[in-house]
Amino acid sequence: MLRHAVPTTVLIVALTSALAGCGGEEEGSLSQARDYAKESGNQIAEDARTAMHAIDTVHVEGDVLDSEGTKITVDLDVSADDTCAGKVGIGDGEISLRSIDGVAWYQGDKEFWRSVAPAKGAGDRIAKRVGEKWVKLEGELASLRAFCSIDSLTAQMVPPEAEAEAVGPTMSADGPAVRLDVTHGETESRTFVLAAEPHRIVKWTQDGSGELVFSDFDKEFEVVEPAADEVFDLAELEK
């Protein structure tokens, strides 16, 4: 789950999460979450899938490990039509990412190009040739597009075929929520779902594999396609 095959390789953001205390205002604020936690975990997971499918945009921050154990850090605005914009860290490097209707471009920093071309001086030479131009996202890096799809992210946090158990109420930055322990094959993770409708996912965690935080639901953002003279064709490096 959420381990993408990026052989060359999602930012930890603090999200307060505490189990219910007793008495006073905190007790009342969690009462809705306690009631919702009485629903079956699979039903709450289905509610979350429905709510996430209905949103237009969301901000995603956090980090995950790829299939080779490299940390991928994301700080992205994502829309329902697979458009996104923001930063992605891959190991020690970082790229700026833009995606529109499934077509994506990136700008890499020197550390990114050094990781792509580790031979002595090669990464620096590529960084100098490319400069601040954008490069079309394809090949091995194309799997990063999964972070630009709300439906894809949701399907990996609460897969339809997974088993979900409602553990109990918790507090999130967006209000009372229910923690789901999700089991998909041999993979176990935790997904936090808002108790109030719409039941959106606000956080996902997996021991040893990272954390993703979701915020700014339905907040508009703009992505501009790079002009033709702002795009570098990597095939030029072979000339």
Side-chain angles (χ1 to χ4, degrees):
M1 182 184 293
L2 282 167
R3 293 193 174 205
H4 304 290
V6 185
T8 60
T9 8
V10 195
L11 217 186
I12 299 179
V13 173
L15 178 69
T16 55
S17 174
L19 292 176
C22 54
E25 183 178 347
E26 184 181 13
E27 181 79 13
S29 69
L30 286 171
S31 61
Q32 185 177 24
R34 286 196 189 87
D35 290 341
Y36 190 44
K38 295 175 184 177
E39 297 280 348
S40 75
N42 288 340
Q43 180 59 57
I44 295 174
E46 179 60 31
D47 293 345
R49 285 189 289 269
T50 299
M52 295 298 285
H53 183 71
I55 65 177
D56 292 323
T57 65
V58 67
H59 185 75
V60 184
E61 280 186 276
D63 61 84
V64 298
L65 297 180
D66 74 358
S67 59
E68 294 188 344
T70 301
K71 184 165 75 170
I72 301 177
T73 300
V74 299
D75 184 358
L76 295 169
D77 291 316
V78 182
S79 78
D81 60 2
D82 296 350
T83 294
C84 75
K87 303 286 187 180
V88 178
I90 304 174
D92 294 329
E94 183 179 78
I95 64 173
S96 295
L97 180 64
R98 294 182 188 178
S99 177
I100 302 175
D101 296 329
V103 181
W105 304 264
Y106 67 92
Q107 287 176 323
D109 63 9
K110 285 185 178 181
E111 290 302 323
F112 167 77
W113 291 117
R114 286 169 180 165
S115 68
V116 171
K120 186 176 180 179
D124 289 334
R125 289 193 292 272
I126 294 174
K128 186 175 181 178
R129 285 281 306 275
V130 176
E132 296 184 358
K133 288 191 174 183
W134 294 84
V135 177
K136 195 168 184 180
L137 186 73
E138 52 192 2
E140 295 172 346
L141 287 176
S143 61
L144 291 177
R145 290 179 189 154
F147 293 108
C148 292
S149 168
I150 296 173
D151 285 345
S152 176
L153 289 169
T154 301
Q156 294 179 74
M157 292 181 292
V158 280
E161 63 275 18
E163 287 296 320
E165 178 186 359
V167 174
T170 184
M171 285 301 295
S172 78
D174 290 295
V178 172
R179 170 184 152 184
L180 292 180
D181 282 5
V182 181
T183 303
H184 185 217
E186 297 182 356
T187 303
E188 297 180 353
S189 61
R190 292 168 296 282
T191 299
F192 297 79
V193 180
L194 289 179
E197 294 185 9
H199 302 296
R200 295 163 172 166
I201 295 171
V202 290
K203 187 171 74 169
W204 169 92
T205 66
Q206 188 175 58
D207 290 342
S209 295
E211 172 180 294
L212 295 177
V213 176
F214 299 81
S215 62
D216 292 340
F217 295 97
D218 291 331
K219 183 177 179 180
E220 292 185 3
F221 67 93
E222 183 179 8
V223 183
V224 178
E225 179 177 344
D229 61 358
E230 296 177 338
V231 177
F232 184 88
D233 185 353
L234 290 181
E236 292 294 318
L237 296 175
E238 299 176 2
K239 296 180 180 180

